[in-house]
């Protein structure tokens, strides 16, 4: 047994099993549970971290997929694992810690699954009790493993698609402070996993599965009260479309309605099937609704080609030479109307199909939504998808350009053959070019862009990603936002599970 000590803390050391020759025997990989509940220590840096980079990068995502003898089926089932990178004067501290949700604590205490996760139903129930627990939300998980956001008042929240899955954390210690309780009476159980926080404004969508539609709500800094701004009714039938994320512009909230719709039947009978809690109903068509932020009125509602997306990238208002609004432009990571991406995120497939080219196609999809009363919008590739291997997801931009016209996207693409995005990309939407970074056999997480303070160029900054490499090791990676060349990396003393999304907390 080799013991890796921590350079700067009193946290308990990590024990890593090794063979007689000293080689690591049990290696952590992207799809393997992290083997200890927490760790913290100084990381040795190769290269140079810019001295201006001062703050904390937090990443959230599933990192524990095993309870007792039971292994979860799907990537999205895993219990939330927080990873911290703290930058200060060229030095870097790393840490990770499990979020202390009720679902996680109950699983640890009882050594079994106790709440309904993305594809797991732990409690055999009759139909009536299952229906009651579903619509009351009592059986749904509070495993906040989807994202982490910095509110305008400085609080940091981990969130997921259930309202009860919102937790306030301490960004420095990664301790779970308390469950984030909303004080309003809006009465829904679902929310977008990706709220919009622009200039301290907090906007989110609340899907309504009873009266199919979406409530658009806003929350002021320093409060826990969401206020209803407006409502959009679904146009595509009796089931509400899934909304994992949504875009917004300076003056409008964009409400997407996919033909991938919540299924009451599947919600009641969770099985490890490709669509889990959804129905793919292409005949119900797809729509984009545009709501005015100030009035709550729906000012446009247009049909668009069928699409499938987890993540929107950005949206902005396009005007003519006289300053009149002509179109809303919306960019997203679009899976070419193919729902098999959900099926391909099963853990068994991720763990066993590493070199097989089974990753469904994806692109930077660009919607053009006319604002002249036309009934239909368009959807096309913003750049040639072959530039990023027809694989694009978990994309970020310079946050100063959210809701505005912009040029650069940082995301995960694919160097095929592969079963998962394995390449970092910088996409230039104006010049239609793409730069890439690739480490053979490695799985990078979302590339997160941090602008240099005082910068005037959109791509003047650094890109942060956390990498799980083919040797079972993990390291933090820094790329130059402009050249997309590697400038620094820092190795963790253990492998890292794949994570989803992050946020930046600048040092005060």
């Amino acid at each position: 047994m080799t013991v890796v000590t921590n350079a700067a803390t009193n946290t308990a050391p990590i024990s890593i099993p090794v063979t007689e020759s000293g080689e690591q025997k049990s290696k952590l990989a992207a799809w393997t549970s992290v083997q200890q509940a927490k760790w913290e220590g100084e990381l040795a840096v190769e290269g140079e971290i810019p001295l201006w980079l001062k703050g904390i990068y937090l990443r959230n995502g599933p990192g524990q997929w095993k309870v007792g003898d039971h292994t979860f089926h799907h990537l999205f089932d895993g219990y939330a694992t927080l990873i911290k990178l703290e930058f200060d004067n060229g030095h870097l501290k790393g840490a990770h810690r499990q979020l202390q949700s009720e679902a996680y604590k109950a699983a640890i205490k009882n050594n079994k699954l106790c709440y309904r996760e993305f594809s797991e139903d732990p409690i055999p129930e009759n139909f009536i009790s299952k229906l009651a627990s579903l619509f009351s939300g009592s059986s749904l998980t509070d495993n906040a493993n989807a994202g982490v956001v910095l509110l305008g008042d400085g609080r940091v929240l981990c969130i997921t698609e259930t309202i009860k899955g919102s937790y306030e954390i301490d960004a420095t210690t990664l301790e779970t402070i308390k469950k984030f309780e909303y004080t309003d009476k809006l009465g829904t159980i679902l929310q977008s996993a990706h709220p919009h926080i622009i200039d301290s404004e907090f906007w989110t969508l609340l899907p309504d599965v009873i009266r199919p539609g979406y409530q658009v709500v806003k929350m002021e800094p320093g409060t826990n009260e969401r206020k209803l701004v407006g409502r959009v009714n679904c146009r595509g039938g009796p089931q509400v479309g899934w909304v994992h994320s949504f875009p917004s512009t300076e003056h409008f909230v964009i409400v997407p309605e996919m033909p991938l719709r919540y299924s009451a039947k599947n919600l009641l009978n969770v099985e490890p099937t490709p669509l889990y809690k959804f129905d793919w109903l292409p005949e119900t068509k797809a729509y984009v609704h545009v709501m005015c932020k100030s009035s709550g009125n729906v000012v446009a509602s247009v049909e668009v080609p069928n699409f499938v997306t987890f993540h929107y990238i950005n949206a902005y208002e396009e005007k003519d030479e006289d300053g009149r609004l002509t179109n809303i432009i919306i960019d997203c990571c679009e899976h070419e109307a193919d729902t098999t991406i959900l099926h391909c995120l099963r853990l068994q497939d991720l763990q066993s199909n590493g070199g097989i080219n089974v990753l469904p196609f994806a692109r930077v999809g660009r919607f053009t939504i006319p604002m002249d009363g036309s009934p239909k919008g368009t959807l096309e590739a913003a750049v040639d998808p072959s530039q990023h291997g027809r694989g694009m997801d978990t994309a970020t931009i310079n946050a100063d350009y959210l809701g505005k016209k912009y040029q650069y996207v940082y995301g995960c693409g694919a160097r095929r053959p592969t079963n998962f995005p394995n390449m970092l990309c910088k996409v230039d939407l104006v010049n239609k070019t793409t730069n890439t970074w690739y480490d053979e056999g490695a799985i990078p997480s979302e590339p997160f862009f941090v602008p240099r303070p005082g910068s005037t160029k959109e791509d003047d900054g650094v890109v942060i990603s956390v990498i799980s490499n083919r040797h079972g090791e993990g390291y933090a990676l820094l790329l130059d936002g402009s050249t997309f060349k590697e400038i620094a990396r820092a190795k963790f003393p253990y492998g890292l599970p794949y994570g989803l999304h992050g946020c930046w907390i600048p040092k005060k």
Side-chain angles (χ1 to χ4, degrees), residues 124-194:
E125 298 175 291
N126 61 51
F127 179 81
I128 298 300
S129 63
K130 184 175 287 189
L131 185 68
S133 65
L134 171 65
F135 288 107
S136 70
S138 62
S139 66
L140 296 179
T141 186
D142 65 344
N143 176 25
N145 67 358
V148 55
V149 297
L150 174 65
L151 300 184
D153 54 34
R155 291 179 292 178
V156 179
L157 296 188
C158 291
I159 56 177
T160 188
E161 290 186 357
T162 61
I163 295 295
K164 65 190 293 186
S166 302
Y167 276 88
E168 185 179 348
I169 65 163
D170 185 308
T172 302
T173 65
L174 301 187
E175 291 183 1
T176 303
I177 298 175
K178 61 182 177 181
K179 183 170 285 191
F180 187 87
E181 302 281 0
Y182 296 99
T183 57
D184 53 74
K185 305 297 183 182
L186 292 175
T188 59
I189 61 174
L190 299 174
Q191 64 183 352
S192 167
H194 296 275

Side-chain angles (χ1 to χ4, degrees), residues 24 60 109 152 167 210 233 268 276 279 320 348 480 500 506:
Q24 209 172 308
N60 189 15
K109 178 181 178 180
Y167 276 88
I210 306 298
N233 293 320
L268 289 169
Y276 300 93
D279 284 329
D320 63 17
Q348 182 179 359
D480 184 285
L500 294 175

Side-chain angles (χ1 to χ4, degrees), residues 1 38 100 109 142 151 169 184 194 197 201 213 269 275-276 281 315 330 357 397 421 423 449-450 466 488 498:
M1 184 79 71
K38 60 181 179 179
Q100 300 296 301
K109 178 181 178 180
D142 65 344
L151 300 184
I169 65 163
D184 53 74
H194 296 275
I197 302 170
E201 288 188 348
N269 297 284
L275 297 183
Y276 300 93
L281 302 173
I330 305 165
N357 192 29
I397 68 169
M423 178 173 69
F449 181 84
V450 180
V466 180
Y498 180 77

Side-chain angles (χ1 to χ4, degrees), residues 207-240:
D208 186 345
V209 297
I210 306 298
R211 296 189 305 124
Y214 311 89
Q215 295 182 87
V216 179
V217 300
K218 180 181 178 181
M219 186 172 70
E220 297 295 336
T223 75
N224 289 38
E225 182 182 2
R226 300 160 303 176
K227 294 183 178 180
L228 181 64
V229 175
R231 177 184 166 87
V232 174
N233 293 320
C234 287
R235 288 179 57 183
Q239 294 169 231
V240 64

